[in-house]
Amino acid sequence: MNNLVPIVSIIIPVYNKASYIRETLQSALGQAYPNTEIILVDDGSSDGSFEILQEYFEKYPEKILLIDQENQGVSAATNNGIQAAKGEYIQFLDADDLLSPYKIANQIKLLEGQPESVLATCEWRMFKNDPKQSYSIPYGVFQDFGSGLDLLLRFWNNQEMMQPAVYLTHRKLIDKAGPWDETLTINQDGEFFARVLGNADKVCYEPIGKVFYRTPGETNVSQQKSEKATKSLLDSYRCYERELLKFEDSERVRIALKKVYQKFIYDVFPHYPHLIKEAEACIKKLGISQKTYIMGPKFQKLSRIFGFKNALRIKRWLPPRSPLRGK
């Protein structure tokens, strides 16, 4: 590290989160790590969010930078926050999520003596209203990984994920990955961190700190299922393929990418058949003849017996299960 106490920039893009932003700001201001700056980027809010941000900016002018922009989307807001950031490390935080008090402090300690190509993670937990009633998902991502690519392959092979606030990332690694893709309307964070992790030499897991991820409301869920959002999701997966094959064009990476496209079909079927055909074309182009199976044991068993598409048809006749992972 260049400084004994490096600056950590907490970047919070905000769009119409008046109901939650105070709690999120208290979470950021309550970090035990002393050397933070909080960069708030209001993306044209119309629900009173900006007035709340102004209130906090006036109360903590030495700690908070406030940027006001016309509505351009979360990627543009985040990119503007990155450009304004002075920190050696970057902490992204959604405007309705929370950090445990020692999240940043523990990760900074973990990264001491590590090169700039190493990033830190921690556990993320889901909650609706009260973080004290949060719950964890039994994923296998809560551990160290020998490279960022190894973590990505864990995501894709097992249909798992990290909430983006878990990462504490060196600014140089952020710059190496490039900006958030402003053409995407969904999975912008997943696409961005695919590039970050592709450039990361190691992932260090910090077991004490927590990120509390607020479950999305019904409006957000319905918007994520629109045709526009579904096409953007497929575009983000094509970006995975384009970028990650630059780092390693191998059978294991192509198998994992095949599973990404299978998961897209799993989520979308039977809607938008033209997009499903595009995903199937992407699978064919990968050139992997090996049978691959996704989701939980029951769906994998159906797939082995009846084939992937027939298993989907059978599943759609059954009551829905977990929204996070097939059982």
Side-chain angles (χ1 to χ4, degrees), residues 57 158 289 321:
F57 170 65
N158 298 278
S289 58
R321 299 297 293 274

Side-chain angles (χ1 to χ4, degrees), residues 116-131:
E116 297 156 354
S117 57
V118 176
L119 77 167
T121 64
C122 67
E123 182 186 8
W124 61 274
R125 301 174 64 86
M126 300 188 73
F127 78 107
K128 187 173 182 181
N129 295 312
D130 184 358

Side-chain angles (χ1 to χ4, degrees), residues 16-162:
N16 288 351
K17 294 292 184 180
S19 299
Y20 308 118
I21 187 59
R22 290 182 185 276
E23 191 176 7
T24 297
L25 285 172
Q26 289 302 131
S27 163
L29 289 164
Q31 287 300 297
Y33 186 74
N35 203 12
T36 62
E37 63 170 6
I38 301 172
I39 300 176
L40 305 174
V41 187
D42 186 78
D43 188 36
S45 295
S46 57
D47 70 339
S49 293
F50 182 69
E51 288 71 21
I52 296 172
L53 300 182
Q54 281 186 312
E55 173 191 330
Y56 275 82
F57 170 65
E58 291 170 2
K59 189 174 182 180
Y60 302 99
E62 75 292 345
K63 178 71 79 171
I64 292 176
L65 172 65
L66 177 57
I67 300 172
D68 182 21
Q69 67 175 42
E70 294 182 1
N71 182 252
Q72 302 174 50
V74 65
S75 292
T78 304
N79 285 334
N80 286 336
I82 293 171
Q83 290 177 5
K86 299 177 181 177
E88 186 176 339
Y89 288 88
I90 302 293
Q91 166 72 61
F92 296 109
L93 181 61
D94 288 346
D96 53 359
D97 295 336
L98 308 172
L99 306 176
S100 64
Y102 284 87
K103 191 270 187 189
I104 291 175
N106 289 354
Q107 288 183 323
I108 284 289
K109 185 175 182 180
L110 185 66
L111 291 173
E112 284 181 359
Q114 295 285 354
E116 297 156 354
S117 57
V118 176
L119 77 167
T121 64
C122 67
E123 182 186 8
W124 61 274
R125 301 174 64 86
M126 300 188 73
F127 78 107
K128 187 173 182 181
N129 295 312
D130 184 358
K132 292 180 181 178
Q133 297 179 358
S134 65
Y135 57 94
S136 62
I137 309 298
Y139 284 167
V141 297
F142 304 129
Q143 58 177 306
D144 294 342
F145 286 87
S147 70
L149 180 58
D150 288 341
L151 176 53
L152 283 172
L153 295 181
R154 174 73 203 191
F155 291 161
W156 299 344
N157 283 320
N158 298 278
Q159 296 77 62
E160 297 179 352
M161 60 169 280
M162 280 291 202

